[in-house]
């Protein structure tokens, strides 16, 4: 996803999963700018659609954890 250089085509759930996977593998240092851009997009999308019915609990929790872990404040409500 990051290699193609167009993170706008992928879903927010796929971006959150990719960022989480890169961090768990310890490869996040190689993709800092891409991860920053992906987290910025996640933050905007979470703010825009606070009560989205299309995401499951795992996806919402993953997005919430990633944003909070990286210092981006997201409302828990």
């Amino acid at each position: 996803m990051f290699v193609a250089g167009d993170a706008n085509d992928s879903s927010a759930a796929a971006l959150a999963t990719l960022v989480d996977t890169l961090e768990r593998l310890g490869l996040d240092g190689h993709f800092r700018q891409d991860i920053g851009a992906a987290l910025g997009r996640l933050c905007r999308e979470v703010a825009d659609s606070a009560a989205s019915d299309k995401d499951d609990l795992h996806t919402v929790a993953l997005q919430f954890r990633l944003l909070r872990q990286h210092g981006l404040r997201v409302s828990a409500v």
Side-chain angles (χ1 to χ4, degrees):
M1 291 178 161
F2 290 150
V3 177
D6 194 9
N8 292 330
D9 290 342
S10 59
S11 70
L15 278 178
T17 303
L18 179 61
V19 170
D20 185 49
T21 302
L22 289 172
E23 289 179 350
R24 288 177 186 264
L25 291 173
L27 299 173
D28 55 322
H30 298 285
F31 300 98
R32 288 185 199 267
Q33 291 178 341
D34 297 316
I35 289 174
L39 291 173
R41 178 177 168 213
L42 282 176
C43 190
R44 285 189 303 274
E45 287 188 10
V46 167
D48 289 343
S49 61
S52 177
D53 293 334
K54 65 182 178 178
D55 290 334
D56 58 22
L57 181 60
H58 173 74
T59 303
V60 172
L62 177 61
Q63 291 172 353
F64 183 79
R65 181 184 60 81
L66 285 173
L67 291 172
R68 284 285 179 104
Q69 182 177 332
H70 287 272
L72 300 167
R73 295 293 166 212
V74 181
S75 175
V77 181

